[in-house]
Amino acid sequence: MSPSATKISPSLPVAIGELDIYLFGQGKHWDLYRVLGAHPHDGPEGPGYRFAVWAPNARAVSVVGDFNGWDADACPLFPVAASGVWAGYLPGFAKGELYKFAVTRKDGHTVLKTDPFALFAEMRPGVASRSWTLDDYAWNDAAWMDTRREKGLPLDDAISIYEVHPGSWRWKTKDYGSFYSYRDLAETLVPYVRDLGFTHIEFMPLAEHPLDESWGYQTGHYFAPTSRFGTPEDLRHLVDVCHQNGLGVILDWVPGHFPKDDWCLGRFDGTGLYEHEDPRQGEHPDWGTYIFNFGRHEVRNFLFANALYWLKEFHIDGLRIDAVASMLYLDYSREEGEWIPNKYGGKENIDAIEFLRDLNVVVHEHFPGAAMIAEESTSWAGVSRPVYTGGLGFTFKWNMGWMNDTLDYFAKNPVHRSYHQNQLTFSMLYAFHENFILPLSHDEVTHGKGSLIGKMPGDQWQQMANLRLFLSYMWAHPGKKLLFMGCEFGQWKEWNAREELDWVLTEFPSHQGAMELVRALNALHKSFPAMHASDNEWTGFEWVDLSDYASSVITFLRKAPDGSQILWNFNFTPIVREDYAVGCRVPGYWREIYNSDSELFGGTNTGNGGGVMAKPTTFGGWPYYLPLTLPPLAAVAFTPE
């Protein structure tokens, strides 16, 4: 028992306001995490903690921990009216103590459950909640937050995202588990990402999870930042430092499903409380998890409050919603007879659709400028279109089609690419149907898929050239950018969450060249409005030539509202193309502003001597043309002066 055990008496009733109960019942209590859970409380017997938990079908609920020998009879909670909430107050209970709820079901069986609203938890393999506080951090990012709020949604911004799994980015020693803390990451990750020129860091899920191998996608504590890397205040410090260095922070969030472990949300009071009772609606067959009951007000409120919690209490700039497709379809990954049609006989999950729409409306109302990002892999229409037009209301959608087609194309030997050029050009048929992010995420470089550079054909030089060409094409293509850690320097082995990145590679010139290329691409992306200002509309893009299949060459323009433009040329073969004619409208000198074959990046330095003069012609209906030298397996970009 803890030293405080002698001063803690059985819990006393704590009043919860009628308005709190009403809003919770309506599913609209945005600060629910300040009512339910464990919070400091100065009661009639002195300071302690008040507890409140929703368990409407329980026979009894109590607080247990080291402080009372885990005795389920020692510190009972009391029902609050007919709300389904149990509450109480423990004088003498201190910050940092471990606790759980002992929930007695109707059958008389008592199980120990973690607090769904716990603000902190013990380090794995333990799963107990840890009493904590919300307001012990002084922020220093007011300028960033004010600017974000005033600007609104970043649809026309130059956004390039560095995706990070903090448990394997870098270690203190070579031993697994010697993770960098949140504060270590503030000192190392932030300057690294800023130096490369990225605008945002996206963290894979940081909510507490007991299994490292789940990467955070099987969340155990939705309101508790994982203790692997420090305290909640340490995470706030990391976000604060990001903002002070001009970096936004995006957090992966998992509202679609949760693990079945008997200590967390599943069958919380002996019934399907947070999930559907019927496994055809309440269980995910692929992941062995429960699915939230999106039609229940209290469950919707739990998720609404959780999303707002990360945005409000941790100043997160955006949430990337995992596995949206699994939420939208009742028959997702199910055979006939394994799912229940909706009330109209269809396969659309109406409750989940309404939840996502309402979620996006609530977030955008409360936090103008915060981005909601959907990882949605189907052709569902209007994912990133406003709710009032019939869309789901997300800010951005991951372009999974672009990712799959482009990776498949680059994996082909250049001699065969001429037969598959449509894999590159097809994406432009739908490029502006949504507000897209082009993702090269962790999912593409793990579980037997190999590393990004490992997908490239040819000898080592050609593989590095193909990597530089792939990244160039990605940055030139309309859409925001997302790159997983390690891809920026061409890590050879596929990502393993139990190994740190191969940082030794960054000592070699070819890998340093890949990093220098990423710096150049990010600088170009920010500096030229043509690269981002009209990312989501046809006015920002124009094909120059997509028909030269035989040479595996494509050319297009990126254009800005002010009339400025950048001409991009891609040679997807190792053959140097000399005096290659490319049409243009603007006479005069076109300056070469980018060449992925530069020796600075590890290339052969084949190029155009800094630029070329446009020549008059009727070539292809263009009034002028540029006689270009196209380097091997390379991209070159020009702008008129």
Side-chain angles (χ1 to χ4, degrees):
M1 296 178 65
S2 73
S4 61
T6 57
K7 63 178 181 179
I8 294 182
S9 61
S11 52
L12 304 172
V14 172
I16 294 179
E18 292 183 7
L19 180 59
D20 291 324
I21 296 301
Y22 172 77
L23 290 174
F24 180 39
Q26 295 295 305
K28 296 181 179 180
H29 199 311
W30 312 135
D31 291 328
L32 186 62
Y33 58 87
R34 288 185 175 269
V35 176
L36 299 184
H39 300 279
H41 183 74
D42 197 359
E45 297 185 31
Y49 267 71
R50 58 180 172 82
F51 296 84
V53 62
W54 180 55
N57 300 300
R59 283 177 54 179
V61 181
S62 63
V63 183
V64 297
D66 289 338
F67 63 91
N68 63 9
W70 300 89
D71 181 357
D73 296 321
C75 299
L77 300 182
F78 303 90
V80 178
S83 63
V85 173
W86 299 74
Y89 147 65
L90 292 181
F93 199 85
K95 177 181 177 180
E97 299 215 40
L98 298 179
Y99 72 96
K100 290 183 181 180
F101 291 124
V103 180
T104 302
R105 301 169 174 172
K106 287 188 175 180
D107 62 7
H109 180 63
T110 298
V111 294
L112 299 187
K113 290 286 191 177
T114 55
D115 181 358
F117 289 85
L119 303 175
F120 199 27
E122 67 175 322
M123 175 74 81
R124 57 158 182 32
V127 296
S129 304
R130 190 180 293 279
S131 55
W132 212 252
T133 55
L134 273 170
D135 304 311
D136 287 345
Y137 185 82
W139 289 90
N140 297 287
D141 64 346
W144 172 276
M145 298 298 287
D146 289 344
T147 300
R148 191 190 80 184
R149 183 168 48 252
E150 292 165 4
K151 283 183 61 178
L153 293 177
L155 296 175
D156 298 325
D157 290 357
I159 293 179
S160 59
I161 304 164
Y162 186 71
E163 186 189 26
V164 174
H165 178 260
S168 58
W169 182 70
R170 191 187 287 270
W171 295 346
K172 293 179 179 178
T173 69
K174 294 300 180 183
D175 300 317
Y176 180 73
S178 60
F179 306 132
Y180 272 27
S181 69
Y182 295 123
R183 291 184 179 269
D184 292 330
L185 293 170
E187 294 179 2
T188 55
L189 174 66
V190 171
Y192 177 81
V193 175
R194 183 181 180 183
D195 173 66
L196 288 173
F198 287 94
T199 63
H200 290 71
I201 299 174
E202 178 174 320
F203 290 105
M204 292 165 68
L206 293 178
E208 190 64 86
H209 51 283
L211 182 66
D212 290 2
E213 286 76 9
S214 80
W215 309 337
Y217 292 101
Q218 295 216 14
T219 303
H221 293 78
Y222 271 77
F223 290 83
T226 177
S227 56
R228 289 169 177 79
F229 315 122
T231 68
E233 289 73 34
D234 294 335
L235 175 56
R236 289 182 173 96
H237 172 75
L238 171 57
V239 176
D240 204 350
V241 171
C242 284
H243 288 172
Q244 293 173 51
N245 282 271
L247 293 172
V249 179
I250 298 167
L251 181 64
D252 275 15
W253 188 54
V254 190
H257 64 109
F258 58 92
K260 289 184 176 180
D261 302 76
D262 58 8
W263 51 266
C264 58
L265 293 179
R267 301 296 192 265
F268 191 83
D269 61 1
T271 66
L273 193 61
Y274 288 88
E275 72 279 15
H276 282 281
E277 288 271 10
D278 192 323
R280 293 174 296 176
Q281 294 174 286
E283 296 187 21
H284 198 295
D286 284 352
W287 303 322
T289 51
Y290 286 129
I291 298 172
F292 283 105
N293 183 350
F294 300 108
R296 188 163 191 169
H297 290 320
E298 295 89 347
V299 176
R300 286 162 53 92
N301 203 156
F302 172 81
L303 293 170
F304 287 155
N306 187 239
L308 296 173
Y309 167 78
W310 291 107
L311 295 166
K312 181 178 180 179
E313 306 296 342
F314 290 87
H315 291 199
I316 299 297
D317 300 290
L319 297 175
R320 177 265 194 185
I321 316 303
D322 182 61
V324 170
S326 73
M327 301 170 67
L328 295 176
Y329 298 98
L330 294 166
D331 66 341
Y332 184 88
S333 197
R334 299 177 188 272
E335 302 294 333
E336 187 174 347
E338 295 179 348
W339 59 283
I340 300 175
N342 63 36
K343 60 184 178 182
Y344 303 111
K347 63 182 181 180
E348 297 79 15
N349 189 335
I350 294 173
D351 288 338
I353 294 166
E354 291 180 353
F355 163 75
L356 289 171
R357 286 174 171 161
D358 291 345
L359 170 70
N360 287 322
V361 168
V362 168
V363 167
H364 287 138
E365 284 180 351
H366 283 75
F367 297 98
M372 297 294 283
I373 303 167
E375 188 229 355
E376 202 284 312
S377 55
T378 74
S379 57
W380 188 283
V383 172
S384 59
R385 294 294 177 255
V387 170
Y388 62 79
T389 67
L392 293 182
F394 284 94
T395 317
F396 298 109
K397 172 183 172 175
W398 275 21
N399 193 336
M400 310 294 280
W402 173 89
M403 178 270 297
N404 285 315
D405 286 347
T406 306
L407 285 179
D408 190 59
Y409 176 86
F410 269 88
K412 299 183 187 308
N413 189 302
V415 73
H416 301 303
R417 287 177 177 173
S418 62
Y419 302 103
H420 301 277
Q421 193 148 308
N422 63 304
Q423 287 187 291
L424 292 180
T425 59
F426 179 70
S427 62
M428 291 311 304
L429 293 178
Y430 61 87
F432 308 110
H433 291 180
E434 303 277 1
N435 303 326
F436 279 124
I437 291 176
L438 308 182
L440 200 289
S441 75
H442 63 276
D443 276 331
E444 312 318 317
V445 293
T446 190
H447 287 334
K449 294 181 181 179
S451 65
L452 177 57
I453 192 170
K455 301 177 194 296
M456 305 299 168
D459 58 25
Q460 184 169 328
W461 186 91
Q462 289 194 5
Q463 285 181 292
M464 292 300 297
N466 270 305
L467 173 67
R468 297 192 297 268
L469 179 56
F470 174 92
L471 294 174
S472 302
Y473 178 69
M474 177 178 176
W475 256 253
H477 191 287
K480 313 308 180 186
K481 327 300 175 188
L482 180 141
L483 190 67
F484 184 58
M485 63 183 199
C487 296
E488 77 277 12
F489 60 77
Q491 174 159 302
W492 288 103
K493 66 181 181 182
E494 74 173 19
W495 173 59
N496 184 335
R498 298 187 71 86
E499 299 176 5
E500 70 170 340
L501 297 183
D502 274 343
W503 291 105
V504 66
L505 293 178
T506 61
E507 300 175 11
F508 293 86
S510 60
H511 296 276
Q512 292 171 352
M515 295 176 70
E516 195 60 43
L517 177 122
V518 170
R519 286 190 190 93
L521 285 170
N522 277 327
L524 188 71
H525 192 219
K526 294 175 185 175
S527 301
F528 289 84
M531 292 295 292
H532 61 263
S534 298
D535 247 346
N536 305 303
E537 51 190 301
W538 267 109
T539 57
F541 178 91
E542 182 182 0
W543 283 116
V544 175
D545 188 1
L546 70 163
S547 63
D548 192 1
Y549 289 84
S551 301
S552 294
V553 171
I554 63 172
T555 55
F556 57 71
L557 288 168
R558 293 301 308 276
K559 302 185 291 185
D562 63 6
S564 62
Q565 57 186 270
I566 295 179
L567 174 67
W568 281 93
N569 309 267
F570 300 89
N571 178 10
F572 295 100
T573 73
I575 300 170
V576 178
R577 311 277 179 191
E578 295 183 346
D579 202 26
Y580 189 91
V582 177
C584 66
R585 293 192 186 90
V586 181
Y589 186 74
W590 286 67
R591 179 167 56 95
E592 185 179 86
I593 59 173
Y594 176 83
N595 184 339
S596 69
D597 193 50
S598 165
E599 62 182 358
L600 181 66
F601 309 140
T604 66
N605 225 32
T606 302
N608 295 272
V612 294
M613 289 294 295
K615 298 183 179 182
T617 185
T618 57
F619 170 77
W622 298 89
Y624 304 93
Y625 81 96
L626 301 175
L628 302 180
T629 296
L630 302 184
L633 293 173
V636 286
F638 300 82
T639 190
E641 292 199 337

